[in-house]
Amino acid sequence: MPLIMGMSVLLACQFLGELVTRGWGLPVPGPVIGMVILLIGLLIWGKVPGSLRLAGEGLLRYLTLLFVPAGVGLIAHFELIGKDLWPIIFTLVVSTAVTLAVTGKMLEQLNRRRNRRVER
């Protein structure tokens, strides 16, 4: 029963995300909005319920299977990707650099905050 409850929470958040995205015409996928809704709910709750943890760990166990359709898509659209290879490479490099920079800055700020707490 806990697994069903956890999956229900995940699917409800995804559904709410789809409603928000389609209702407001946002250019963001519904599941992304659903993850934000789930994050807000978990921050308010203060902890991860056991049923949600169980469902999440079960999904993570088979995460590698979710890459199979992406690999098939790469093979099926190889020519199309080849035509736009340089913009794709540029986008990947820039997005990786931005991600690393933002992660580094956040880590720096969190370390400063932690050091201030330790000094008190």
Side-chain angles (χ1 to χ4, degrees):
M1 189 66 149
L3 182 63
I4 294 173
M5 290 301 296
M7 288 299 293
S8 297
V9 169
L10 292 174
L11 290 174
C13 288
Q14 182 176 354
F15 180 69
L16 288 173
E18 289 288 343
L19 286 178
V20 168
T21 297
R22 292 176 190 217
W24 290 348
L26 298 175
V28 179
V32 173
I33 301 293
M35 284 191 295
V36 171
I37 292 170
L38 179 63
L39 175 65
I40 292 168
L42 291 174
L43 289 172
I44 291 170
W45 186 265
K47 64 178 183 172
V48 179
S51 59
L52 191 58
R53 182 180 303 278
L54 182 65
E57 288 173 353
L59 288 172
L60 283 175
R61 191 173 304 126
Y62 299 107
L63 182 65
T64 55
L65 291 176
L66 299 176
F67 291 105
V68 172
V72 171
L74 285 172
I75 292 169
H77 298 290
F78 191 72
E79 290 179 19
L80 183 63
I81 292 170
K83 290 178 184 176
D84 292 323
L85 185 61
W86 289 113
I88 291 171
I89 289 174
F90 177 76
T91 303
L92 287 172
V93 169
V94 169
S95 65
T96 301
V98 168
T99 301
L100 285 172
V102 169
T103 302
K105 281 290 186 188
M106 288 298 298
L107 181 61
E108 199 173 87
Q109 289 177 358
L110 291 171
N111 274 335
R112 271 195 225 128
R113 184 183 297 174
R114 188 183 72 190
N115 289 339
R116 275 188 252 140
R117 287 184 185 166
V118 170
E119 291 172 0
R120 290 182 190 173

